[in-house]
Amino acid sequence: MAAESGSSRRWIRRHQAHPGAPRLVCFPHAGGGASTYRNWAMRLSPSVEVLAVQYPGREDRYEEPPAEDMQSLADEIFAALPVAADRPLTLFGHSMGSAVAFEVALRIERMCPGGLARLCVSGRPAPHAARPSGLHLLPDAALLEDLRSLAGTSDTILDSRDFQALFLPAIRSDYRLIETHRPGPGARITAPVSAFCGTDDPHVRPEEVLSWRDVTTGGFETRVFTGGHFYLHDHLPELVAEVARHLRPKEAPASG
């Protein structure tokens, strides 16, 4: 395997390297980091190589300022990815990660035709159909209340002054990033899209997930799981299996 560039080491975490295996690139939710997908790597190894994006402002990049805008964030992630037509990437994003993955998917198809196998999105409507929101402009109390409604973080942690001081600024920045995201008019990909959500997600209703059908000229499928915004915590084996069934090694051409 070729040595990774400095940009790749900054932005991409390979939980386990498996040269030649299909690659799945995972994009965290608002406030989340690359470690979110360590369990995915454990479940899929060694048949799939899981790469997780590490946004600035969290985990081992905590001291870096968060991304300023969606376009520059997607540009940097795309530049760090191992994009190649002979080993196309499948992308998976949850919540904010869905929008980031979509922007990266647009760049892959524009710059490396054939380099994208599939886009998998979760817990968010397509960017053009997202509900208007300005949570990033509201006081901390409103931001914390929204986090409680998502049921992804315990009340004990949310009530912690240390948590609020250390992590709330990065979460607010992520909310600003997604709430000010405006996709280009008619932005579409040709790769197929799979969309997932929970039955009781306060941020996206099952019918809103169908909006992802409009961003692809390829195939589209959707699956709804029981649960809320973080339904994937309770349905990880099923979700991973759903994504993995599309990940197949590229067959070598038959010999003469």
Side-chain angles (χ1 to χ4, degrees):
M1 177 186 291
E4 291 180 310
S5 68
S7 175
S8 180
R9 286 192 299 271
R10 246 178 97 219
W11 286 92
I12 308 298
R13 302 291 175 267
R14 281 177 170 83
H15 290 307
Q16 293 179 350
H18 298 292
R23 285 170 169 157
L24 174 66
V25 184
C26 298
F27 296 74
H29 56 278
S35 65
T36 302
Y37 292 102
R38 189 172 289 119
N39 285 341
W40 287 57
M42 294 172 62
R43 289 182 177 277
L44 291 170
S45 175
S47 60
V48 175
E49 184 175 53
V50 176
L51 313 180
V53 175
Q54 187 73 296
Y55 308 135
R58 65 218 67 209
E59 295 186 350
D60 58 351
R61 299 186 68 185
Y62 172 74
E63 295 185 355
E64 298 181 41
E68 288 293 324
D69 62 85
M70 182 68 78
Q71 301 306 321
S72 60
L73 176 63
D75 285 344
E76 294 226 48
I77 294 170
F78 167 74
L81 285 174
V83 181
D86 63 347
R87 197 178 172 191
L89 302 174
T90 295
L91 311 184
F92 175 88
H94 178 63
S95 196
M96 181 185 87
S98 295
V100 183
F102 174 62
E103 286 292 339
V104 172
L106 291 170
R107 285 155 176 77
I108 292 174
E109 290 206 337
R110 185 168 65 243
M111 303 298 291
C112 183
L116 179 67
R118 177 174 290 266
L119 173 65
C120 300
V121 292
S122 168
R124 188 162 182 84
H128 70 277
R131 307 174 201 167
S133 178
L135 277 168
H136 72 285
L137 299 172
L138 299 179
D140 287 354
L143 206 56
L144 288 166
E145 190 58 34
D146 186 69
L147 293 173
R148 289 184 206 281
S149 76
L150 301 179
T153 308
S154 71
D155 286 343
T156 301
I157 293 175
L158 291 176
D159 290 337
S160 163
R161 293 301 179 96
D162 288 341
F163 169 85
Q164 295 175 23
L166 291 173
F167 299 108
L168 213 53
I171 294 172
R172 180 182 297 280
S173 179
D174 284 353
Y175 274 45
R176 177 186 55 77
L177 190 81
I178 195 65
E179 289 174 349
T180 59
H181 175 220
R182 299 292 181 270
R188 284 181 178 81
I189 58 174
T190 61
V193 172
S194 298
F196 311 102
C197 74
T199 52
D200 304 310
D201 189 334
H203 277 197
V204 55
R205 295 184 296 271
E207 60 269 23
E208 291 178 300
V209 169
L210 298 177
S211 60
W212 286 101
R213 183 167 46 198
D214 301 330
V215 306
T216 178
T217 59
F220 174 78
E221 62 182 32
T222 184
R223 180 171 174 183
V224 179
F225 294 87
T226 57
H229 189 66
F230 287 100
Y231 71 90
L232 59 178
H233 291 172
D234 294 326
H235 295 282
L236 186 61
E238 301 100 306
L239 178 60
V240 170
E242 191 73 25
V243 173
R245 70 185 176 88
H246 296 294
L247 292 157
R248 301 286 184 270
K250 190 165 185 175
E251 294 183 3
S255 58

